[in-house]
Amino acid sequence: MSLKGKAAAIGIGELKPLKEPGNATALGLMGKVAAEAIADAGLEKNDIDGFLVGMPFSDPGMIYPASAAEVFGLRPRMLNVVDIGGASPAGMIWRAAAAIDAGMCNAVLCVVADLNRAGDQRVPTVSVQREFEAPYGNIGANCGYAMIAHRHMFEFGTKAEQMAKVAVDQRANALNNPLATFNDKPLTISDVLSSRMIVDPLHLFEIVSPVSGGAAVIVASADVAKRAKHPPVWILGAGEYANHATITYAPSIVESPIKPAAEAAFKMAGLAPKDMDFVCPYDCYTITVIVTLEDAGFCKKGQGGKFVEEHDLTWKGDFPCNTHGGQLSFGQPGLAGGMSHVTEAIRQLMGRGGKRQVKDAHLGYVNGNGGIMSEQVSLVLERRS
Amino acid sequence: MSDYIKPLPKPSPTSLPFWEAARRHELKLQYCEACKAFIYYPRDRCPTCFSDSLEWRPVSGRGKVYSYTVVRRASSRSFADGPYVLAIVQLDEGPRMTTNIAAPPEQVRVDMPVAVYFDDVAPGHTLVKFKPA
Ligand SMILES: [Zn+2]
C-alpha cells in the first residue's frame, strides 16, 4: 500500500504575515485563506468534504475541528486536528491523501492560522515539561536549537559563517516574494553575525520572527483534480517519524528523526534526493536547515555546513532552497510558518513562482519539523509534464 | 514567603522520590534491572523494555556537558533576570538531564566535566544543577 500519485494539491491560499494582528482573529484568518484556496482550486465550498485544521495558540480548545467546521459551514466526512507542531501542515498533506485513498472523502481543506502579539509568552504545557524543563529555563524553542547548534559545531566543526549563509541566501529569495515579511533589503553574513546574540551560538537573524497569518491547501482525488484550474501537484512520497519531544531525551541531538521520515518519502516516490529540482526544508533556525539537508540525504552527516557554504541556495542557484525566503524571511505565523514550505513547493511546481521561479521545476522536497527536531514529515511532490 | 518567581516542579506520584532525594541533597535515578540501565526523567515504566519493575538507586552525580547554551534573552519573563547557562548534562551512568551550569558563561564548553550540586531555591524545593568538576 502506498500513497504514490493517489492525490494532488490543487489550490493554495496564503496571507502576507501581519507584524501586529490588530482586530484579526485566528478563525477569521483561517476563513480568508480557506476561501482563497477553494477559489484557487476552482472548487466551491460545498465540494470540500474533508477538513484538517491546526489548533491556534491564540484560540485553542477541545473538540476544535467541528467548532471550526461549523463556523465555516463545512460538512466534512473526515475531520481532525493535526497536532505535530511545525510538522502539522506537511503532516496534513499526507493524511489528506490517505483519507482520499481510503475513499473517505474527495477534497480536503488543510488550514492553519494564528496570531502573535509582541510580548506573548510561551510556557510548556505538558506536565513532564513543566516539571523537568521549565524550572531550569528550558522554555520555548530557542534553547533546544541553540544546544543542537553547539553540539553540531563541537562534533563536526560547523562554523557560524556557514549557519549565517542559510539566512543570507534565503533572504535573497525573499526579495522576490511579495508575501515575505522581510523582503526589503538583502542580508550579508556579517549582518547576521553582528545581530544580537540571543541564545549562544544563535543570533537574532538566525531565529524566526513570530508574526500573524494563515495558509491553506486543498488536496483532492485524481477525479476532482481533473477540474482544477492549475496543474495538479501530485503527492509521490511521504514519511513521518518522531523519537522524542524534548531534545535532552533524543537519542542524538545532531541526528534527527528526519532521516527515517525522508527515507520513507523517497522510497515511496521511488526517487532519491539528487532527483529533486528544489527543496523546502523547515527553517525555524539556520541550524535546522543544515541538519535537515544532512539527514534527508542531500549531503553526508556533518557536512551540512560545508554544503550550504559551497552551494547557491537562491532560486537561480545550483541548489534552490526555500525559494520563498524560508520562515527566517517570510516570518512564522504559528503553524502557517510550516505551511509556507508546502505552499511554496506547490507554487514552484505549478509554475507560479513569479520572479523566483525555479527553471524546469518538476520535483520538490518538503520537510516539516515540529518542536525541537521532534515530529518530522517529509514529502516528495511532482508536477507531471 | 519566598520571592523566587521561576517555575517550580510539581512532583507527581511517579517523580516524588527523585525530588525527595534532591531535598536531602542526593541524586537518585530509577534503574531498570532488565535493561541494566538508568532512566531519566522518572517514569512508571522503562521507556526501552516497558517493564514496570524499576528501582531507585543513587548515582555518582558526575558527568559531562553534552551541549549548552547561554540564554541572553529568555522566552519567559521569569528568567529575564540575566543570562543563564542552560545545559544537557550526560551522567557517567548514561542518562541525560536538562539542567543549569553554575559557572561564568565564557568558561562553559561542550564535553566539560561537571559534578552535581543541589540548589535549595525555595522552601521545600531543591533543583538539581551542576558545576565544573
Ligand atoms: Zn528496561
Side-chain angles (χ1 to χ4, degrees):
Chain A
M1 172 124 173
S2 159
L3 292 175
K4 185 177 180 177
K6 299 284 174 60
I10 61 167
I12 55 175
E14 190 166 53
L15 294 172
K16 183 177 174 75
L18 309 158
K19 283 181 184 165
E20 278 299 323
N23 291 329
T25 65
L27 282 168
L29 298 183
M30 271 184 212
K32 198 168 181 176
V33 292
E36 197 183 307
I38 292 165
D40 191 59
L43 301 182
E44 305 283 335
K45 182 164 72 73
N46 290 342
D47 294 320
I48 300 299
D49 60 0
F51 182 50
L52 295 176
V53 62
M55 179 121 64
F57 270 103
S58 59
D59 182 20
M62 296 285 285
I63 323 175
Y64 192 85
S67 304
E70 181 185 274
V71 171
F72 306 143
L74 295 171
R75 288 168 178 48
R77 296 173 188 278
M78 182 279 293
L79 65 165
N80 248 309
V81 155
V82 178
D83 184 18
I84 48 174
S88 302
M92 286 175 183
I93 302 302
W94 81 254
R95 283 169 172 77
I100 289 165
D101 185 41
M104 298 301 289
C105 49
N106 295 297
V108 182
L109 168 63
C110 305
V111 64
V112 284
D114 214 339
L115 310 180
N116 276 289
R117 289 192 162 83
D120 280 357
Q121 299 280 300
R122 290 286 162 87
V123 288
T125 53
V126 175
S127 60
V128 288
Q129 290 156 19
R130 282 200 307 267
E131 187 172 353
F132 296 101
E133 307 307 315
Y136 301 100
N138 192 13
I139 297 170
N142 285 358
C143 305
Y145 284 93
M147 292 194 285
I148 291 170
H150 258 162
R151 185 77 198 183
H152 205 278
M153 294 166 103
F154 172 79
E155 285 196 24
F156 307 119
T158 308
K159 297 183 180 78
E161 293 76 12
Q162 294 170 332
M163 293 195 282
K165 176 148 185 298
V166 173
V168 169
D169 280 9
Q170 291 191 176
R171 174 61 61 84
N173 289 333
L175 298 179
N176 288 308
N177 182 1
L179 293 184
T181 300
F182 304 102
N183 61 6
D184 55 342
K185 58 175 191 294
L187 208 54
T188 65
I189 286 175
S190 89
D191 290 337
V192 176
L193 297 183
S194 61
S195 67
R196 189 171 158 190
M197 188 70 91
I198 304 293
V199 277
D200 298 25
L202 299 176
H203 304 80
L204 181 63
F205 293 168
E206 299 184 80
I207 299 174
V208 282
S209 297
V211 289
S212 302
V217 170
I218 309 294
V219 178
S221 65
D223 209 37
V224 173
K226 283 181 200 148
R227 295 193 267 140
K229 278 203 312 207
H230 300 287
V233 171
W234 297 92
I235 294 128
L236 286 193
E240 183 165 308
Y241 199 73
N243 61 15
H244 66 276
T246 299
I247 195 69
T248 305
Y249 317 110
S252 158
I253 75 169
V254 292
E255 285 182 53
S256 75
I258 292 166
K259 190 164 188 274
E263 277 172 1
F266 284 120
K267 188 177 174 215
M268 186 186 289
L271 295 166
K274 64 172 170 43
D275 299 320
M276 299 298 105
D277 298 314
F278 66 94
V279 298
C280 287
Y282 196 93
D283 67 325
C284 40
Y285 302 84
T286 49
I287 185 66
T288 316
V289 172
I290 288 173
V291 173
T292 305
L293 296 179
E294 293 171 352
D295 290 344
F298 291 94
C299 62
K300 286 206 181 95
K301 189 76 232 169
Q303 297 294 302
K306 192 162 168 270
F307 185 88
V308 299
E309 186 180 355
E310 289 175 353
H311 288 83
D312 179 351
L313 311 184
T314 68
W315 61 276
K316 57 185 182 323
D318 59 336
F319 190 80
C321 173
N322 284 329
T323 45
H324 63 311
Q327 294 181 63
L328 289 168
S329 282
F330 182 81
Q332 183 172 62
L335 296 178
M339 192 65 100
S340 76
H341 304 277
V342 178
T343 54
E344 178 65 7
I346 294 168
R347 245 184 234 112
Q348 287 288 350
L349 293 168
M350 285 180 170
R352 299 160 72 189
K355 285 184 183 166
R356 62 183 191 279
Q357 179 65 47
V358 173
K359 208 166 157 249
D360 300 326
H362 284 272
L363 289 163
Y365 169 79
V366 175
N367 189 68
N369 158 49
I372 318 297
M373 281 311 209
S374 173
E375 309 94 332
Q376 302 298 336
V377 175
S378 283
L379 300 173
V380 176
L381 303 175
E382 179 195 39
R383 174 190 177 162
R384 292 177 188 158
S385 44
Chain B
M1 274 301 286
S2 163
D3 55 2
Y4 189 79
I5 59 156
K6 295 178 170 65
L8 288 167
K10 286 195 186 69
S12 68
T14 308
S15 65
L16 191 61
F18 173 81
W19 295 116
E20 283 179 344
R23 276 211 299 265
R24 297 190 304 268
H25 291 200
E26 293 170 30
L27 185 57
K28 282 190 165 183
L29 301 189
Q30 290 166 308
Y31 184 79
C32 175
E33 186 59 51
C35 291
K36 308 270 183 245
F38 282 95
I39 292 164
Y40 185 81
Y41 48 90
R43 313 287 219 285
D44 295 307
R45 289 176 179 273
C46 168
T48 304
C49 71
F50 224 41
S51 157
D52 65 354
S53 81
L54 304 176
E55 186 196 2
W56 289 96
R57 288 191 186 178
V59 290
S60 67
R62 296 194 161 266
K64 283 182 173 177
V65 172
Y66 180 68
S67 195
Y68 75 99
T69 181
V70 182
V71 183
R72 298 181 189 276
R73 195 174 155 194
S75 301
S76 163
R77 269 181 216 110
S78 54
F79 282 90
D81 56 341
Y84 59 98
V85 181
L86 176 77
I88 300 169
V89 164
Q90 181 151 24
L91 297 173
D92 287 353
E93 290 83 357
R96 293 185 194 139
M97 304 177 70
T98 300
T99 188
N100 300 126
I101 307 293
E106 61 279 7
Q107 287 178 17
V108 180
R109 294 282 179 275
V110 175
D111 221 31
M112 181 173 95
V114 289
V116 73
Y117 82 97
F118 297 90
D119 192 355
D120 300 317
V121 294
H125 287 281
T126 299
L127 297 181
V128 177
K129 299 185 179 178
F130 289 78
K131 57 190 176 190

